[in-house]
Amino acid sequence: MAALFTYVGTLIHDCFGSYWGLTKAKHALCGPHLLRELTGLVEAGSPRAGQMHTLILGLYQAKLAAKPFSSRHKAWRTYDEICQLADDYEPPPEPRPRGKYKRTKGRNLAERLIKYKTEVLRFALEPNIPFSNNQAERDIRPVKGKQKVAGCFRTVQGAMRYARLQSIFSSWRKQGYSTFIELKAILDGNSFQFMDYLTKIVIME
């Protein structure tokens, strides 16, 4: 975790407050997290949540089709228009005797979408930024499977060794290397080095 404070790539997360303390990195918000929140607001009767859901999903589909997008794209202005309408529609924060002002779910999301516009749309602006942080869940799944089978790791050192090996195997798969071939080569005494290892993104759960 300490290495994240000096990381200068892009962190993809669900807008948990502590992540913004990692100031050296750029940030991007997980699209599926936002879509789920917007779907909930649509079901609650919010008139603008459906428009934002359609916009974000449309940009994701455009990215899959390799269609270009920039801050001069009309969707950039449409985003602002929807946020303004949502800001006008949602009731203002209500003061409390102590603590933060009371806000509706719609108000909270509207303010977040306004404040973090660039982070919400970064997946569309930058080609190497994925739409979601689902990769994080896939990467930790083998560890959870190991825990379910073995019950636990017997030592911290053993857990660290497992995590190190799992990280290498995962990196091989992501970059198109054969885990079997590369592991066999290492056991035969050959060294390994990533030739095109571009770690520009960290995906956080």
Side-chain angles (χ1 to χ4, degrees):
M1 185 64 183
L4 288 175
F5 288 96
T6 58
Y7 184 72
V8 293
T10 301
L11 303 172
I12 302 171
H13 54 79
D14 58 0
C15 208
F16 186 64
S18 297
Y19 295 150
W20 300 105
L22 304 170
T23 55
K24 293 184 180 295
K26 293 193 297 183
H27 296 258
L29 298 187
C30 175
H33 277 90
L34 292 172
L35 293 181
R36 284 195 291 269
E37 286 190 76
L38 290 167
T39 298
L41 290 177
V42 169
E43 294 172 351
S46 174
R48 305 305 171 190
Q51 294 176 320
M52 183 61 75
H53 188 287
T54 299
L55 176 67
I56 293 177
L57 191 58
L59 289 174
Y60 173 57
Q61 292 169 345
K63 179 171 184 173
L64 293 179
K67 294 181 180 179
F69 175 79
S70 71
S71 58
R72 295 186 296 274
H73 193 281
K74 64 179 181 180
W76 191 264
R77 297 189 299 274
T78 302
Y79 182 99
D80 288 335
E81 293 169 0
I82 297 173
C83 285
Q84 184 59 56
L85 291 170
D87 187 52
D88 294 338
Y89 173 79
E90 295 295 338
E94 298 179 8
R96 291 175 171 177
R98 291 186 302 173
K100 296 181 178 180
Y101 281 22
K102 182 180 179 181
R103 290 172 169 82
T104 63
K105 291 182 179 179
R107 165 60 57 186
N108 277 327
L109 183 56
E111 292 183 358
R112 197 184 328 144
L113 291 172
I114 293 170
K115 182 177 181 180
Y116 298 114
K117 175 183 178 180
T118 300
E119 288 77 12
V120 171
L121 298 178
R122 178 157 277 142
F123 77 91
L125 291 167
E126 301 180 27
N128 65 326
I129 303 300
F131 182 60
S132 74
N133 66 349
N134 289 342
Q135 185 64 55
E137 297 180 1
R138 291 194 291 269
D139 282 341
I140 65 174
R141 191 169 294 135
V143 178
K144 296 301 295 182
K146 174 75 172 176
Q147 286 182 315
K148 288 180 179 179
V149 172
C152 65
F153 292 98
R154 302 304 178 188
T155 64
V156 174
Q157 186 180 33
M160 292 176 66
R161 286 175 177 173
Y162 178 86
R164 189 179 300 115
L165 289 171
Q166 186 60 44
S167 175
I168 293 171
F169 297 157
S170 177
S171 296
W172 278 343
R173 289 192 295 269
K174 291 173 187 174
Q175 299 191 39
Y177 293 96
S178 168
T179 302
F180 175 78
I181 293 174
E182 300 304 336
L183 186 58
K184 183 177 183 299
I186 289 176
L187 294 175
D188 287 340
N190 300 313
S191 61
F192 176 85
Q193 182 177 2
F194 287 109
M195 301 303 295
D196 298 308
Y197 196 45
L198 303 177
T199 8
K200 295 298 182 184
I201 304 170
V202 169
I203 305 178
M204 303 180 67
E205 174 55 28

